[in-house]
Every structure is written in C-alpha cells, then in structure tokens.
Amino acid sequence: MSVTLEVNGETHVLEVSPTRRLLTTLREDLALTGPKLGCGEGACGACAVLLDGTPVVSCLLPVAAAEGRAVTTIEGLARGDTALQDAFVAEDALQCGFCTPGQIVSATALLAHTPRPTREEIRAALAGNLCRCGAYPKIERAVLRASGQAVA
Ligand code: FES
Ligand code: FES
C-alpha cells in the first residue's frame, strides 16, 4: 500500500503495510531514530511524537493512521526553537538520555497550550513518559526554566 506521510514538514511516499507501526517507519524507513523503542506497548512514552501537535505513542499507531496529518519528531523540534532542549541541558535533566526525546515531545505540547505550567501540570503532562534513571525532578525544573519561571 502506498502511504503518504508528512514528517517534520517533508512529504514521503512509502510502500508499506498500512499496519506497520509508525515508530518502525520513522526509525527504519526514514532513519529518524530520535523516537525510541522502549516497551513497544504504549506504556513508557519513549516513542512519543507529535501528531497534529498532540503527543502520541508511535509504537501503537499504524502508519496509515498518520496519513494526512503532521508528524513531528524530536529531529523536527530540533530545527526550531531549542529553548526547551537548552533547558534540559542547563538543568542536567537526563542521564542515559533514552527517555529524553519523548519527554521533550510531551513538554513541547504542554508549553504550546500552557506557556507557564505549574509543577502539577508538568507532572500530569509528562505522566506517560517514564524515566528509568529517575531524572524526574530535573526534568520538571527544565520545563519550568523553559517556561521562564523561577527554578527553586
Ligand atoms: S515504546 Fe511506545 S510507549 Fe513505550
Ligand atoms: S534519562 Fe535515562 S531513562 Fe530517562
């Protein structure tokens, strides 16, 4: 089946099974390896991408479901305003970095509709992004910093 995807502002026409995971297509067909395969079951958020601006777990999404919609990966976000990425670096908000693309994808969506989120709103928005390194306090500080709020 021919599937047309818009990923990071670029159009791709791919011959793939419509049930192929979006994550697999991103990583293996388009060489976009920022989204990670963690659990593969929708539970960890490592594979998160934006679909029309909303975070989704790409490991559960059939590629055909993304047709006609704007897919944005961490690679696409890196081409734009990097204030959030910079805040992660400034707050040392990662250890192994495996979860970081997903954390930034979810935080980007949060800041798009809530520019100055509370700590509770940050925790709620990132609840689907697990960090096996336990960097949660620093991730929260990074999102606060990126939103221009004081980091205590
Ligand atoms: S790899 Fe998709 S949610 Fe864990
Ligand atoms: S920094 Fe290692 S999983 Fe989050």
Side-chain angles (χ1 to χ4, degrees), residues 36-47 57 59:
K36 301 290 187 262
L37 175 58
C39 66
E41 298 177 348
C44 75
C47 63
V57 284
C59 70

Side-chain angles (χ1 to χ4, degrees), residues 22-49:
L22 176 60
L23 177 62
T24 307
T25 289
L26 292 172
R27 291 181 56 84
E28 298 184 9
D29 302 332
L30 300 179
L32 294 169
T33 56
K36 301 290 187 262
L37 175 58
C39 66
E41 298 177 348
C44 75
C47 63
V49 300

Side-chain angles (χ1 to χ4, degrees), residues 3 5-7 14 16-30 32 35 47-51 56-67 69-73:
V3 173
L5 286 184
E6 185 197 320
V7 182
L14 304 163
V16 293
S17 164
T19 58
R20 188 170 173 78
R21 300 175 185 207
L22 176 60
L23 177 62
T24 307
T25 289
L26 292 172
R27 291 181 56 84
E28 298 184 9
D29 302 332
L30 300 179
L32 294 169
C47 63
V49 300
L50 297 177
L51 193 65
V56 297
V57 284
S58 61
C59 70
L60 292 186
L61 196 73
V63 66
E67 190 156 32
R69 306 177 71 182
V71 178
T72 307
T73 69

Side-chain angles (χ1 to χ4, degrees), residues 128-143:
N129 295 90
L130 305 186
C131 176
R132 62 190 172 189
C133 301
Y136 297 110
K138 292 181 176 180
I139 292 168
E140 193 175 302
R141 289 165 59 98
V143 179

Side-chain angles (χ1 to χ4, degrees), residues 74 77 84-85 88 99-109 126 129:
I74 189 69
L77 294 178
L84 184 54
Q85 291 93 320
F88 267 66
C99 72
T100 309
Q103 303 279 4
I104 290 175
V105 162
S106 294
T108 295
L126 300 184
N129 295 90

